Amino acid sequence: MRTRTGQVGAAVVTAFMAMSMAACGGDDASDTDGGFTVGLLLPSGAIPRWEHSDKPLIEKRIKQLCPRCALRYANAENDAARQRDQVTSMITKGAKVLILDAADTRAVRSSIQEAHRAGVPVVAYDRHAQGPISGDVSINGA
């Protein structure tokens, strides 16, 4: 559990760093209250770890680092097309940063490119994802 907590913490910190770096040089004053939306996209509910460990730890860490931030959550249920739709929806609804554990690392590439074009940093979480990601946090199983 200690390793999982560290990994989750690293993902959230990386997401916030990506968001702050993306904000540098921007003229967007909409986040002056210090809050924004973080999108969390997990691949499946089939492995209990994601729902019962990772998601709650990420929620907790986001609240610690940014009390005014909101978390928008989606679970793809191992459906790559569904996850692509979820990414698009989060971008459309104003997410400023995405933490993504890809259901299919290749199939989500176009969605990561879409996020990049929209100025939304994507942090690949738990497994590598293809496309212009802003950070990558993965497991060292050794």
Side-chain angles (χ1 to χ4, degrees), residues 16 34-40 62-63 66-73 95-97:
F16 279 100
F36 54 88
T37 300
V38 176
L40 173 61
I62 287 172
K63 285 299 172 196
C66 183
R68 292 185 176 164
C69 288
L71 179 70
R72 185 175 303 270
Y73 170 69
K96 298 292 185 190
V97 64

Side-chain angles (χ1 to χ4, degrees), residues 54-104:
D54 294 30
K55 181 180 174 254
L57 288 170
I58 289 170
E59 287 173 320
K60 180 180 176 183
R61 190 69 174 138
I62 287 172
K63 285 299 172 196
Q64 289 172 341
L65 292 172
C66 183
R68 292 185 176 164
C69 288
L71 179 70
R72 185 175 303 270
Y73 170 69
N75 187 311
E77 297 302 334
N78 282 326
D79 184 336
R82 183 179 193 177
Q83 192 167 57
R84 285 192 307 266
D85 290 343
Q86 292 168 340
V87 169
T88 299
S89 176
M90 287 196 186
I91 294 167
T92 302
K93 292 179 180 176
K96 298 292 185 190
V97 64
L98 301 175
I99 300 171
L100 171 68
D101 191 345
D104 181 323

Side-chain angles (χ1 to χ4, degrees), residues 123-140:
V123 175
Y125 173 67
D126 194 34
R127 62 183 89 172
H128 299 289
Q130 295 184 5
I133 60 170
S134 298
D136 190 342
V137 178
S138 60
I139 294 174
N140 179 357

